[in-house]
Each structure stands twice: as C-alpha cells, then as structure tokens.
C-alpha cells in the first residue's frame, strides 16, 4: 500500500497528482487496481442488487417512468410542473433507450450510482484522514440501510448522493491545490448537475460555504479560499448554468398551494420533537424507532452526536475536514427539521444524500478512538455494523408473492377485448400502468366530493403526467354493457361506492395492498 506524503499544510498529499493529466490518470488507475476498495464495492453491490426486483414498482417510481417516456424537451416542460428538476428523468430516458424498461434494467441505474457513492465516500475520507478511516467509512457506507433502499428505487436520490459527494471531493482537492482551476470547474459542473437533480442540493452548497468560512476564521493556519476570485467565479457559473431553470422554480414556488392540494408536497404528518431522532433511526434500521423504550430511543442519536464531537474535537489536520462532514450531515437535517414545522418536508428520501455523511463522520471518530482506546473503537464499529444489518434485513424482507404486480398480471391474463379498467388512486394508477399489458386505457376514478368539488389532480405534481381523458368522474360514464375491472385498496371503505345496482362481482384477487374486482352487468338485479 502506497504511503501518502505529508504536505506543509499537514494533510496527506494527493497521490494522483502528477505533472500532466495523463500521468495523473495512470496513477489513479494504478491506485484503484491495487486498492482494498474492491471488497468494499463488492459488498455494496451485493446488498444493492440482492432482491432488486422483488418489490413491485410503487407510485413514485411509476411517476419517474411515465415522465421518462416523454422526449427530452417534453421532460423539461413537464418537470417544470413537478416537485423535482429534470436531470434524473432525462438520464432515465436515455438509460431506457439503451437497456429497456425491465425492472432490473431501470433499477440498476440507481444501484450503480449507489455503489459509486460508496466509492466516492471512501475517496473523500481518504483525502481527509487515514486509509483506516476510509476503509471503515466504506464498510459503513456499503451497509447504510437508507442508502441501500434508495439505491433500489427508480428515483433520483442515489444520483443526488453521487453528485454531492463528487462535488465535495472536488472542493477538497481545490482547497489543497487552489492553483488547479480545473477542480473548481469540476465542482461547478457537479453542483449544477445536483441542483438539476433535486432542489435540496442547495443545502450542500450552503454547507460548502460555511465550511470555507470555518477554516477561514479558525485559529492557527487560516485558509483564505473563500476570498479567492475563482471561488466566486465558480459559484457565479453555477448560478448562470441554473438560470434556464430558475423561472420554472419560481413558478413552482408560487403554486405551492396547488401542490399541497394535490398531495404532492406537505402530505407528511406534522413534525414533533421526536421526529429528529426518529429520522436517525430510519436511516439506520428503516424503522422510526418510536416503539422503543425512551432510553434506547435516545441512545442511537446521542451516540452519533458523541461520535461527531469526537471526530471534530480530535481533528488535528489543518484543513479540519471533519467540520465539512459535520456540516454536510447535520446542517441539512436540522434546517429541514425546522422548516417542517411550517411545511412538512422532513422526508427520509429527501435527506438520504446527506445521511451518507453520518457513516463517514463516524469513521473519523472510530479511527481517532482507535489510536487511544482500541477496544472501545472496535466495540463502536461492531455495534454500528450490527445496527446496520438490522436495517439491511428490514430492507430485504419483501414477499414477492404479495406485490401489486401479482394483481396486474391476474388482470392481464383474464382481460378480454372491450373490458374497462379503473383505478381508485393516483399512486395505484402510476404503478398499475407500468405492469399493464392489456392495451386498454387505464382510467383514474376522480368522483366529485359530496359538495360538488372536483377531485381531479391539478396541472402541478403528478397531474402533469396524465392527460384529461384518463380521469373518470362517474362510473355511469362507462358503457352500460361490457365488463369492468375496478382496482382499489384492500383496506378501508370501498372507494368506488356506490356501485351500479346491475353490477355483479365475477372474480376478485388481491396482493400488495390492492384488490382487483371484475364486474359483469346483470340486467336483472336481485
């Protein structure tokens, strides 16, 4: 294993740097080839590809697939009315063109970017601390349950993690070698791509600015990078690259009430003080932990707070990279938590990219404990891995025989020409159409409220993905003759009630929380 040299700044010198990009690339390839990174990536790949196709496509994934079917120009147009920017959907569009829309193919995009995020996390910690810390970070990142989960969904969250970690790596390289302007070019491009992937990427930019301020005002060696003209130029470039999308963002903000009315934002329950520790538990075991005894419920969040303090306080490097990771993890978590008392957006998947900072921060603390209290460090590492394995197991607990696709396949097999298919909910509709092979136009039931108010989605959020002829306001609009499939929830009251008196159930199946009933008109009821 190569030994890093120490720079006058007190940090390890970049092993990839050489006079010329060609030689630098060769050294990077040689480092990867001979590195212990491969077992870590193999572990990350195993847990992300394991049972990748077991869970059926759910509503949000279905919305990604519907949007990706449009041309690139139409994706730009429709994403302007959605709650997420267009980059991921454009990439998914191209991915489907290359590999098809099979469930393994479409989820592989997120799985591969999730694996890449692990590699980038190792790379970042390797630049900030020791190889031992980097290995620990890689191990914890590979098994991080929230990262595994969203590396198995057709959504943009794994991609966002890759882009933000890559931007952080570029920032660290530029801090060490500010004369290398290409690092800021990489940073500007990566942060721009992140902003075109998810609006919460702006929180990472805020963390980077605060980190530069922190190392500017620290005692001893002060980094004046925040005063450099090229840093300001790079951020102006990010703003310039984002200007084409800015009018769409401003329009979206003006129509937040319509998004709330459609259930696309603010649908989460209001936060409480327990929501913050619950988020930590969700990241690590895929359960909010609120049924645990109070002392146990508080133990994990407090343990991570203690590890963060150890990582920061025992950081003897001049550039204080632990501050970067502490900001990257803690600031978005706290800001979104605070904002959610006004508008509930404290959603695990929105913060998964920032959850990646927690294993890296823990790795720094464990590495620094190891040099003084080896037994304690090993105990902490084993405990964290044990907790993660609980979450990984929770992710993998999927009954493939109790999934929505079983219901849709049943309808596909028993469908006859002329049959009608009606779903009761937008999320069911978005999932259903992915598996539908009937060739019929699947309808979405949108009956008016008792007061006569329409329930059709507006043009914002999911409503931008379907045309008006999909909506069905009354079952009476269907032809009086012919068979009808009604697809709705298993639990709760019948969303289609009252049914026409002449309809009789001919067949029924249910799985994955939904049921499909086949109705045949009987001209002589009773």
């Amino acid at each position: 294993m190569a030994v890093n040299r120490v720079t006058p700044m007190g940090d390890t010198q970049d092993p990839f740097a050489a006079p010329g990009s060609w030689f630098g690339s060769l050294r990077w390839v040689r480092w990867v080839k001979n590195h212990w990174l491969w077992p870590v990536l193999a572990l990350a790949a195993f847990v992300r590809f394991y049972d990748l196709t077991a869970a059926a496509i759910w509503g949000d994934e279905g919305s990604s697939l519907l949007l990706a079917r449009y041309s690139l120009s139409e994706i730009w147009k429709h994403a302007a009315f959605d709650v997420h920017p267009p980059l991921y959907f454009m990439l998914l569009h191209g991915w489907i063109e290359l590999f098809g829309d099979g469930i393994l193919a479409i989820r592989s995009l997120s799985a591969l970017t999730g694996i890449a995020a692990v590699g980038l996390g190792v790379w970042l910690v390797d630049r900030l601390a020791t190889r031992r810390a980097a290995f620990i970070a890689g191990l914890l990142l590979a098994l991080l349950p929230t990262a595994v989960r969203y590396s198995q969904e057709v959504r943009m969250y794994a991609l966002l993690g890759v882009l933000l970690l890559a931007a952080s790596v570029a920032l660290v390289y530029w801090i060490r070698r500010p004369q290398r302007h290409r690092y800021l070019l990489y940073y500007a491009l990566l942060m721009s791509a992140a902003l075109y992937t998810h609006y919460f990427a702006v929180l990472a930019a805020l963390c980077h600015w605060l980190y530069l301020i922190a190392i500017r005002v620290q005692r001893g060696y002060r980094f004046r990078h925040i005063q450099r003209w090229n840093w300001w130029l790079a951020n102006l470039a990010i703003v310039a690259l984002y200007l084409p999308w800015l009018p769409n963002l401003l329009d979206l903000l003006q129509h937040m009430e319509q998004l709330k009315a459609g259930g696309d934002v603010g649908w989460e329950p209001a936060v409480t003080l327990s929501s913050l520790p619950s988020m930590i538990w969700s990241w690590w075991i895929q359960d909010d932990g609120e049924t645990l005894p109070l002392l146990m419920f508080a133990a994990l969040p407090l343990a991570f707070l203690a590890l963060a303090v150890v990582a920061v306080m025992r950081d003897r490097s001049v550039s204080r990279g632990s501050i970067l990771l502490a900001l990257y993890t803690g600031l978005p978590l706290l800001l979104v938590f605070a904002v959610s008392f006004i508008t509930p957006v404290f959603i695990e998947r929105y913060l998964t990219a920032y959850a990646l900072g927690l294993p890296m921060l823990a790795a720094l603390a464990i590495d620094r404990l190891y040099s003084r209290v080896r037994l304690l460090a090993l105990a902490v590492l084993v405990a964290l891995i044990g907790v993660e394995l609980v979450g990984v197991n929770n992710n993998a607990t999927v009954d493939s025989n109790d999934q929505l696709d079983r219901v849709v396949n049943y309808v596909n097999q028993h469908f006859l020409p002329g049959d009608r298919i009606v779903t009761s909910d937008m999320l069911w509709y978005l999932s259903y159409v992915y598996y539908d092979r009937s060739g019929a136009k699947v309808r979405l039931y949108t009956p008016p409220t008792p007061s006569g108010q329409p329930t059709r989605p507006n043009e914002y959020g999911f409503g931008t993905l379907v045309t008006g002829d999909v909506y069905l306001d009354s079952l009476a609009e269907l032809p009086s003759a012919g068979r009808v499939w009604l697809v709705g929830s298993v639990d709760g009251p019948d969303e289609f009630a009252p049914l026409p008196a002449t309809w009789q159930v001919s067949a029924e199946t249910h799985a994955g929380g939904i049921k499909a009933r086949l109705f045949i008109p009987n001209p002589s009821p009773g």
Side-chain angles (χ1 to χ4, degrees):
M1 183 180 296
V3 176
N4 293 348
R5 290 171 290 172
V6 177
T7 68
M9 292 167 48
D11 293 322
T12 53
Q13 187 175 355
D14 175 9
F16 310 141
S21 59
W22 171 252
F23 292 102
S25 299
L26 287 178
R27 295 187 68 177
W28 187 88
V29 170
R30 192 181 306 117
W31 181 82
V32 170
K33 181 179 179 181
N34 298 320
H35 209 262
W36 42 261
L37 178 63
W38 290 111
V40 170
L41 294 182
L43 176 62
F46 173 76
V47 296
R48 283 158 179 78
F49 276 98
Y50 178 79
D51 259 3
L52 185 62
T53 62
I57 294 293
W58 72 291
D60 278 12
E61 292 182 290
S63 72
S64 296
L65 294 167
L66 275 183
L67 189 48
R69 290 180 182 178
Y70 290 103
S71 67
L72 295 182
S73 61
E74 289 175 320
I75 290 174
W76 180 279
K77 172 186 173 183
H78 285 282
F81 296 93
D82 194 17
V83 294
H84 300 298
L87 180 61
Y88 171 77
F89 308 112
M90 291 179 169
L91 293 176
L92 181 61
H93 173 89
W95 188 267
I96 291 173
E97 288 287 324
L98 289 173
F99 303 107
D101 64 352
I103 191 168
L104 176 61
I106 56 179
R107 283 183 172 159
S108 291
L109 175 58
S110 292
L112 291 172
T113 50
I115 296 165
V118 175
L120 284 165
V122 171
W123 191 355
L124 179 58
V125 176
D126 193 41
R127 298 299 86 221
L128 298 178
T130 67
R131 291 287 169 86
R132 181 173 60 212
F135 175 77
I136 296 170
L139 192 59
L140 295 176
L141 282 167
L143 295 173
L144 182 64
T146 189
V148 174
R149 174 180 177 179
Y150 293 107
S151 294
Q152 296 182 321
E153 290 197 358
V154 191
R155 296 296 278 171
M156 69 292 297
Y157 308 111
L159 175 63
L160 179 65
V162 164
L163 293 171
L164 294 183
L165 289 183
S168 299
V169 170
L171 178 67
V172 168
Y173 270 67
W174 173 70
I175 288 173
R176 297 188 177 193
R177 296 179 178 273
Q179 71 278 11
R180 300 285 179 88
H181 301 308
R182 68 173 183 269
Y183 294 139
L184 277 183
L185 174 62
Y186 301 152
Y187 177 82
L189 293 175
L190 289 164
M191 282 305 304
S192 298
L195 288 166
Y196 273 102
T197 300
H198 198 280
Y199 294 119
F200 276 22
V202 70
L203 299 174
L206 176 60
C207 294
H208 294 156
W209 276 87
L210 290 177
Y211 171 60
L212 291 182
I213 292 173
I215 60 176
R216 171 65 183 86
V217 300
Q218 68 179 339
R219 294 180 179 178
Y221 193 96
R222 298 185 178 184
F223 291 81
R224 304 179 189 276
H225 294 66
I226 198 168
Q227 300 169 236
R228 288 179 173 269
W229 64 269
N230 51 356
W231 169 250
W232 288 83
L233 183 62
N235 282 271
L236 286 175
I238 294 171
V239 172
L241 289 171
Y242 202 67
L243 282 177
W245 187 254
L246 190 59
N248 298 326
L249 172 59
L250 296 176
D251 180 70
L252 196 65
L253 293 174
Q254 290 176 357
H255 293 86
M256 286 296 289
E257 291 304 319
Q258 288 177 264
L259 284 165
K260 290 180 182 179
D264 295 290
V265 298
W267 50 266
E268 282 283 303
V271 296
T272 64
L273 292 179
S274 68
S275 299
L276 187 59
S278 288
M279 182 66 75
I280 305 296
W281 278 104
S282 295
W283 283 352
W284 282 77
I285 66 167
Q286 293 298 282
D287 184 278
D288 61 19
E290 294 195 358
T291 60
L292 296 171
L294 181 60
L295 289 178
M296 186 178 296
F297 179 65
L300 186 67
L302 290 176
F304 280 119
L305 179 60
L307 289 173
V309 170
V310 170
V312 173
M313 299 303 294
R314 295 189 60 80
D315 188 349
R316 299 294 181 262
S317 65
V318 181
S319 59
R320 303 297 297 275
S322 59
I323 295 178
L324 172 61
L325 293 181
L327 287 169
Y328 180 87
T329 306
L331 185 64
L333 183 68
L334 294 174
L335 279 179
V336 176
F337 175 64
V339 169
S340 292
F341 282 96
I342 303 171
T343 298
V345 287
F346 199 57
I347 304 169
E348 180 190 357
R349 57 185 178 273
Y350 287 6
L351 291 166
T352 289
Y354 298 104
L356 298 174
L358 203 52
M360 294 187 283
L361 197 61
L364 294 183
I366 293 170
D367 179 54
R368 285 155 191 167
L369 284 173
Y370 188 83
S371 61
R372 287 178 173 265
V373 194
R374 183 170 301 186
L375 188 61
L376 176 60
L378 293 174
V380 171
L381 177 59
V382 170
L384 290 182
I385 292 174
V387 172
E388 285 188 321
L389 289 176
V390 172
V392 170
N393 180 67
N394 288 340
N395 276 331
T397 306
V398 175
D399 183 357
S400 58
N401 294 314
D402 187 24
Q403 298 292 311
L404 170 144
D405 59 316
R406 301 291 177 174
V407 172
V408 187
N409 290 337
Y410 178 88
V411 177
N412 290 336
Q413 292 167 9
H414 297 86
F415 182 87
L416 295 179
D419 285 2
R420 308 287 175 153
I421 303 173
V422 184
T423 59
S424 65
D425 181 84
M426 175 63 86
L427 289 177
W428 293 136
Y429 172 84
L430 293 171
S431 304
Y432 191 99
V433 294
Y434 172 74
Y435 293 102
D436 177 58
R437 300 295 182 268
S438 68
K441 178 181 285 295
V442 181
R443 307 292 295 275
L444 175 61
Y445 189 48
T446 53
T449 65
S451 62
Q453 294 296 319
T455 60
R456 290 188 177 191
N458 54 55
E459 63 180 346
Y460 287 86
F462 290 151
T464 189
L465 302 176
V466 297
T467 54
D469 58 351
V470 167
Y471 303 126
L472 180 71
D473 294 339
S474 172
L475 296 177
E477 297 177 23
L478 297 172
S480 58
R483 310 193 314 169
V484 178
W485 294 90
L486 297 184
V487 181
S489 300
V490 171
D491 301 321
D494 189 346
E495 303 101 322
F496 297 100
L499 298 172
T502 58
W503 285 15
Q504 286 188 339
V505 177
S506 175
E508 181 174 338
T509 186
H510 64 85
I514 72 166
K515 62 183 176 183
R517 293 171 291 168
L518 173 61
F519 288 88
I520 298 177
N522 181 357
S524 302

